[in-house]
Amino acid sequence: MIHSSAIVSDSVVLGEDVSIGPYSVIGEGVKLGNGTVIRSHCIISRCTVGNNCLLDSFSSIGGLPQITNVDLNNIGTVTIGDNTVVREHVTLSAASAKDKSTWVGNDCLLMACSHVGHDCVLENNVILANNALLGGHVHLQNDCFIGGNSAIHQGCLLGIGTIVSGISGTSKHVPPYCIVANRNELIGLNFVGLGRRGVTSAAISELSEYFVTIFKKMSGKLGERAEKLLSDNKIKHKETIQFLNFFKNQAPKGFCTPRK
């Protein structure tokens, strides 16, 4: 159902059972999947939206990237997967070049007033709480949670299962399964999230041991420490391998670490 006051470009591709609410504006380059609901007063352009999504009132999807010297002839797109919810007043910027797309995966939740900058990648089951801010080129792996009023600096990579506590921020990469608080400070592992993922107690115990070892019991660059631990061939669980592998190729940005 398309409300009579909505403005929908002739080029928009609509799936089955799409609903577009009052006063929404759906511009060129938009494709809406089956069962997707657009509430009132949304502005959407340059965007492909998956099936069974909800884009709530006053959200702005596919707007110009917030960078200086924007080339209006070279603007990318936004891609949103299935079953994702975008709440009120969310801004989700288009990518910075035609051959690129700002990406939001399946089953994500972007709460009210959160912002996803240009060229970001949000994998599946990512949650942004209210007023969470992502700079350009941020990459959030599966199952990340960004707390309310938190900010992620451009170009950061946050590993699988990461939590950023409310009113916190990071300008560095965050290893998988970790919790960040304050600024760039790891305060431990996300034990609740690990349990919800069905990770065994044995795997959690091993991961905890290596967390302490790499940060507290070794010296040198973190990448070198990780290489040494991986070379021992004593690791039994994939979560520990994911955790240690994270340090091997992300050094230029630097890593969040526990307080000494």
Side-chain angles (χ1 to χ4, degrees):
M1 180 185 71
I2 301 176
H3 194 274
S4 59
S5 63
I7 300 174
V8 181
S9 169
D10 292 338
S11 68
V12 172
V13 178
L14 301 177
E16 298 179 359
D17 300 318
V18 168
S19 175
I20 299 176
Y23 305 107
S24 286
V25 179
I26 316 298
E28 295 183 359
V30 173
K31 180 179 179 180
L32 303 178
N34 299 334
T36 285
V37 175
I38 311 298
R39 294 272 173 84
S40 67
H41 298 88
C42 294
I43 300 176
I44 305 171
S45 57
R46 310 177 187 89
C47 184
T48 296
V49 183
N51 299 322
N52 302 311
C53 292
L54 169 65
L55 277 59
D56 218 329
S57 299
F58 300 100
S59 55
S60 177
I61 313 299
L64 295 177
Q66 298 186 59
I67 54 177
T68 58
N69 301 318
V70 174
D71 182 354
L72 296 178
N73 296 314
N74 190 30
I75 303 300
T77 61
V78 172
T79 302
I80 299 174
D82 297 336
N83 307 309
T84 283
V85 174
V86 176
R87 293 302 303 269
E88 303 89 344
H89 295 279
V90 167
T91 52
L92 212 167
S93 298
S96 58
K98 278 186 176 179
D99 60 345
K100 298 179 180 179
S101 187
T102 303
W103 184 273
V104 179
N106 300 325
D107 301 294
C108 295
L109 171 59
L110 281 55
M111 297 187 196
C113 301
S114 56
H115 170 68
V116 178
H118 61 89
D119 301 282
C120 284
V121 175
L122 281 61
E123 297 186 12
N124 300 324
N125 302 299
V126 168
I127 297 176
L128 306 184
N130 302 79
N131 301 301
L133 307 175
L134 306 184
H137 298 276
V138 167
H139 186 160
L140 306 183
Q141 294 183 342
N142 291 336
D143 302 309
C144 285
F145 178 90
I146 311 301
N149 294 297
S150 292
I152 312 300
H153 192 268
Q154 63 191 45
C156 287
L157 172 63
L158 278 63
I160 186 172
T162 292
I163 290 180
V164 177
S165 299
I167 320 179
S168 299
T170 179
S171 58
K172 299 181 179 182
H173 300 311
V174 183
Y177 308 115
C178 289
I179 301 175
V180 176
N182 305 312
R183 183 174 178 84
N184 296 329
E185 180 186 350
L186 296 187
I187 60 172
L189 292 170
N190 178 14
F191 292 112
V192 173
L194 287 163
R196 288 175 177 172
R197 292 175 61 86
V199 179
T200 66
S201 58
I204 293 173
S205 179
E206 181 186 79
L207 179 59
S208 299
E209 176 186 347
Y210 278 87
F211 179 94
V212 173
T213 298
I214 196 169
F215 288 123
K216 302 292 187 180
K217 297 182 179 181
M218 300 180 72
S219 59
K221 296 181 179 179
L222 283 168
E224 295 172 351
R225 300 182 206 180
E227 290 277 12
K228 184 176 181 180
L229 292 171
L230 287 164
S231 68
D232 289 340
N233 296 318
K234 297 179 181 178
I235 301 170
K236 298 179 180 179
H237 301 282
K238 67 177 182 180
E239 290 79 15
T240 305
I241 294 173
Q242 289 173 326
F243 173 75
L244 294 175
N245 274 331
F246 189 87
F247 297 102
K248 292 169 60 177
N249 300 311
Q250 306 298 331
K253 188 74 175 180
F255 303 96
C256 293
T257 58
R259 182 180 297 178
K260 295 182 179 178

